[in-house]
Amino acid sequence: MYKLFIRPLLFLVDGERIHHIVFRVLRIQGKIGIQPILRLLFQYNNPKLHRNLFGLTFQNPVGLAAGFDKDAKLIDELSCFGFGFIEIGTLTPQPQPGNDKPRLFRLPLDQALINRMGFNNEGVIASVDRLKKRKSKIIVGGNIGKNKNTPNEKALEDYAYCFEALHRYVDYFVVNVSSPNTPGLRELQEKEPLRKLLSYVKSLSLSKPKPKPILLKIAPDLSTSQLDDIIQILKETKTDGVIATNTSISREGLETGTDELETIGNGGLSGKPLADRSNEVIRYLREKLGKDYPIIGVGGVMSVSDALEKIKAGADLIQVYTGFVYEGPGFVKRINQEIKYWTKFSMK
Ligand SMILES: Cc1cc2nc3c(=O)[nH]c(=O)nc-3n(C[C@H](O)[C@H](O)[C@H](O)COP(=O)(O)O)c2cc1C
């Protein structure tokens, strides 16, 4: 029904505008109290789906990826759609508008999106205020970054500010150094700056009476030697987990024509074309980090079989963004039903 009737209508409107309209509808839905109906329709609970990772028990392994609800506006409403966890952010210390519009583009031929949002967000404090009021007990991750005009030499201060502000209100943290849309950000993935950043955030966490898990989110466009450096640093700094991957700057193998791609311009590619590379990275990380290291797989989950592929590649949990946009509100439930069925026959 979503793909046949609703999606064609939604896809007539500019991608970012429709995102805001859907948010408004979801907020109204939250107010008129139809959440129990949505939960009945879209949630799927089964003890076989529970996952224990870095000290947290996830109700199921399918999460909403960062960027969808950057400002924690709809945690309660989105939790009705069957997610096992929701990642908010990327949040920065100060509010910032992000890049000029248009900055979100659909590539229906490729089941993909290109975005260059540029960490548009209302600032971490606005999210903290909302998190204080949330009712749902769903696991929430806080994805943190730096403001556009903060030079990399001062990036640590931005991450520390966000960490301190969010610490009491999220269940785990994600250090995001992999968005292609903030100039210079991905340089923080290089050996020395990354080592410094992760050990600093980890030490902040350990200084708390209740330390929170710290995860690193990485890009899909890293070379094997860069991945090797990251793996070494994850171990050295005792970082609790890794999220692979963010969007890609690659445009390889797309069906969408070169002219259209040129008109769209820069940005991170998400959705189907990202799946193979993301799985390759996950497989490599699993091989090098061992069977017990927590890995969250994200990138190109557009079908239930894509979700299983990610788990087979080595992901403990998965996240969706573009697939949720293309497949609609029943997507998470379908994935969870399949994972439960598959878990019965696998010994993972
Ligand atoms: C419009 C849009 C905004 C995003 N914003 C963020 C963000 O702020 N922080 C982040 O870590 N990832 C962000 N992402 C990346 C997603 O979290 C995810 O890693 C990526 O889209 C790959 O997953 P997918 O193929 O399921 O979409 C964004 C993705 C999209 C499409």
Side-chain angles (χ1 to χ4, degrees):
M1 157 127 154
Y2 173 82
K3 282 210 285 197
L4 218 56
F5 300 110
I6 302 175
R7 189 175 79 183
L9 288 177
L10 297 181
F11 275 25
L12 289 175
V13 186
D14 164 75
E16 193 170 347
R17 255 195 90 202
I18 206 64
H19 189 82
H20 291 303
I21 294 172
V22 168
F23 262 49
R24 240 173 279 153
V25 172
L26 287 175
R27 197 167 303 136
I28 295 168
Q29 156 248 297
K31 286 204 174 104
I32 60 174
I34 59 165
Q35 287 182 1
I37 300 170
L38 293 179
R39 277 198 285 270
L40 207 66
L41 285 174
F42 297 121
Q43 285 189 348
Y44 181 67
N45 299 314
N46 189 292
K48 288 207 175 76
L49 291 170
H50 294 181
R51 298 287 185 275
N52 293 309
L53 222 65
F54 35 77
L56 300 172
T57 302
F58 294 77
Q59 289 304 302
N60 70 66
V62 186
L64 180 61
F68 194 90
D69 188 11
K70 286 179 190 272
D71 292 300
K73 286 183 172 164
L74 288 178
I75 302 283
D76 292 334
E77 290 79 358
L78 286 166
S79 72
C80 298
F81 294 99
F83 295 106
F85 59 111
I86 292 175
E87 195 168 301
I88 59 164
T90 298
L91 291 164
T92 57
Q94 303 305 320
Q96 59 179 27
N99 292 320
D100 292 340
K101 293 175 189 170
R103 54 194 181 176
L104 175 60
F105 308 88
R106 296 186 199 98
L107 277 54
L109 280 180
D110 289 296
Q111 291 187 66
L113 297 172
I114 288 178
N115 90 83
R116 53 168 171 275
M117 306 302 285
F119 289 175
N120 56 309
N121 76 107
E122 296 178 4
V124 68
I125 301 301
S127 282
V128 168
D129 290 341
R130 293 192 186 104
L131 289 169
K132 283 179 185 167
K133 294 180 200 138
R134 78 176 168 113
K135 296 190 185 83
S136 152
K137 294 208 166 35
I138 192 164
I139 289 177
V140 174
N143 181 313
I144 56 177
K146 71 167 193 76
N147 277 113
K148 184 180 176 183
N149 54 13
T150 303
N152 278 1
E153 305 78 75
K154 294 207 159 182
L156 247 62
E157 292 169 30
D158 278 15
Y159 286 89
Y161 184 95
C162 293
F163 176 86
E164 293 294 347
L166 279 173
H167 183 259
R168 283 180 57 191
Y169 306 101
V170 295
D171 301 290
Y172 69 88
F173 279 95
V174 182
V175 173
N176 182 12
V177 284
S178 48
S179 163
N181 301 314
T182 294
L185 184 85
R186 293 187 308 164
E187 287 162 22
L188 296 174
Q189 287 180 130
E190 297 299 328
K191 221 171 169 177
E192 279 322 307
L194 186 65
R195 181 180 284 127
K196 248 187 173 165
L197 177 59
L198 285 178
S199 34
Y200 185 55
V201 179
K202 184 73 190 177
S203 71
L204 287 178
S205 186
L206 289 175
S207 72
K208 304 284 177 197
K210 272 194 191 162
K212 298 273 161 93
I214 308 295
L215 281 72
L216 174 72
K217 184 164 178 178
I218 63 171
D221 309 309
L222 298 162
S223 66
T224 307
S225 79
Q226 282 174 310
L227 276 175
D228 287 336
D229 288 345
I230 288 174
I231 287 163
Q232 188 195 338
I233 293 165
L234 288 172
K235 289 180 185 165
E236 254 176 54
T237 56
K238 299 197 167 41
T239 298
D240 302 275
V242 60
I243 303 191
T245 66
N246 213 315
T247 55
S248 174
I249 52 169
S250 164
R251 300 290 185 264
E252 231 177 273
L254 295 182
E255 296 291 323
T256 307
T258 328
D259 288 352
E260 196 180 334
L261 290 172
E262 268 169 23
T263 313
I264 290 172
N266 291 341
L269 177 73
S270 61
K272 190 79 187 158
L274 189 57
D276 285 349
R277 178 57 189 157
S278 151
N279 291 348
E280 220 170 76
V281 173
I282 294 165
R283 223 169 276 123
Y284 192 76
L285 291 169
R286 177 55 72 214
E287 188 194 318
K288 301 285 171 180
L289 285 163
K291 69 178 179 29
D292 294 325
Y293 193 84
I295 298 176
I296 301 183
V298 52
V301 174
M302 308 299 288
S303 67
V304 288
S305 60
D306 292 336
L308 289 188
E309 281 306 309
K310 278 235 161 352
I311 294 171
K312 287 178 194 163
D316 299 293
L317 307 174
I318 60 167
Q319 291 178 320
V320 294
Y321 186 135
T322 309
F324 189 53
V325 171
Y326 274 84
E327 295 295 312
F331 189 42
V332 180
K333 181 174 182 172
R334 289 205 300 278
I335 296 177
N336 273 321
Q337 283 171 327
E338 188 64 21
I339 293 176
K340 191 220 121 194
Y341 182 73
W342 178 75
T343 312
K344 224 166 66 177
F345 300 104
S346 82
M347 295 301 287
K348 193 177 184 297

